[in-house]
Amino acid sequence: MNFQRIIDFLPGVLIGLTVHEFFHAFAAYKLGDNTARDQGRLTFNPIKHIDLIGLLFIIFAGFGWAKPVQFNPENLQNVRRDKAIIAAAGPLSNFILGILFCFILKAMSAYYSVNDIEPALSIIKLSHIIQYAAFINFGLFIFNLLPIPPLDGSHIIFSGLNLSYDTEEKIRKIGLPVLFLIIIIQNQFGIPILPIGIAVNYLMGLFL
């Protein structure tokens, strides 16, 4: 990615990661746990959520991470159900953001089409940034729902299975190396093990 494209992608990445982690924290707070709130994570301030290394990985490697939101299961009334809700809140927020950005693009396009106005260069640039933001948020939605630890999809799956703690820990230990291996193979050899781009393009087509 060249510098200009990084600048175009950056707003969508920052918004997507910040909103994702905020809604993890918000869901935990609404379900009775104040851990994330007390740690200052119940905010839309990206500084509280962004992990610099994870952000650089997203920009240059196509995948990355933010600071994980912590919660205390002992404060939840229904641990399995509530853990699934907390896990799902992040990806769901990205899905909604992706739809919102698509609607903004459609509204902009309709406005200039109806009024037969040639948009200014700055408006065209803005539309590119919004389009990237939609793509990124749909990507975060799909990627995080993969049932591979430590992604949110694994927490949702685990909450529905009656696995022992030891079994879950064994799966979690191998999850991250497996995820990295899959991504490296896909990026280096072009093997679509995780066809996330195809799925994202499908969502973009549905809402644009």
Side-chain angles (χ1 to χ4, degrees):
M1 296 179 69
N2 59 42
F3 180 75
Q4 185 57 57
R5 200 168 183 207
I6 290 173
I7 296 300
D8 291 344
F9 262 91
L10 200 55
V13 172
L14 291 175
I15 293 171
L17 292 179
T18 299
V19 171
H20 181 104
E21 298 303 331
F22 168 83
F23 275 98
H24 279 318
F26 182 74
Y29 173 68
K30 285 298 184 179
L31 290 168
D33 180 64
N34 294 330
T35 304
R37 185 200 65 178
D38 295 342
Q39 292 176 345
R41 302 298 300 276
L42 204 60
T43 176
F44 286 113
N45 180 358
I47 296 175
K48 295 292 186 177
H49 301 293
I50 300 300
D51 180 284
L52 181 58
I53 301 300
L55 177 62
L56 292 175
F57 261 78
I58 289 179
I59 293 172
F60 294 106
F63 73 99
W65 56 89
K67 296 176 184 176
V69 168
Q70 298 178 339
F71 64 91
N72 186 352
E74 293 182 0
N75 294 329
L76 305 177
Q77 293 185 354
N78 186 323
V79 176
R80 289 191 175 276
R81 180 203 66 190
D82 293 350
K83 284 173 68 175
I85 293 173
I86 293 169
L92 181 59
S93 71
N94 293 126
F95 179 67
I96 294 171
L97 268 180
I99 296 174
L100 177 61
F101 284 127
C102 284
F103 282 170
I104 292 173
L105 281 173
K106 291 182 72 172
M108 290 173 64
S109 177
Y111 172 81
Y112 285 101
S113 177
V114 168
N115 292 281
D116 195 23
I117 302 173
E118 185 69 26
L121 185 60
S122 59
I123 298 298
I124 295 174
K125 190 66 177 176
L126 178 61
S127 68
H128 288 165
I129 293 173
I130 296 173
Q131 186 172 5
Y132 284 140
F135 188 91
I136 289 165
N137 275 278
F138 282 140
L140 288 171
F141 164 68
I142 294 170
F143 181 72
N144 280 284
L145 284 182
L146 295 174
I148 305 173
L151 301 178
D152 296 321
S154 68
H155 299 302
I156 297 172
I157 294 295
F158 285 160
S159 68
L161 300 175
N162 191 22
L163 299 177
S164 67
Y165 176 80
D166 290 340
T167 301
E168 287 191 10
E169 284 302 302
K170 288 178 181 178
I171 297 174
R172 287 193 179 97
K173 286 180 180 178
I174 66 172
L176 191 57
V178 167
L179 182 61
F180 269 95
L181 180 61
I182 290 173
I183 292 172
I184 290 171
I185 292 173
Q186 181 163 304
N187 287 348
Q188 292 298 316
F189 302 102
I191 302 173
I193 303 173
L194 303 174
I196 296 173
I198 297 173
V200 171
N201 284 327
Y202 176 76
L203 287 175
M204 293 285 286
L206 283 178
F207 296 104
L208 280 179

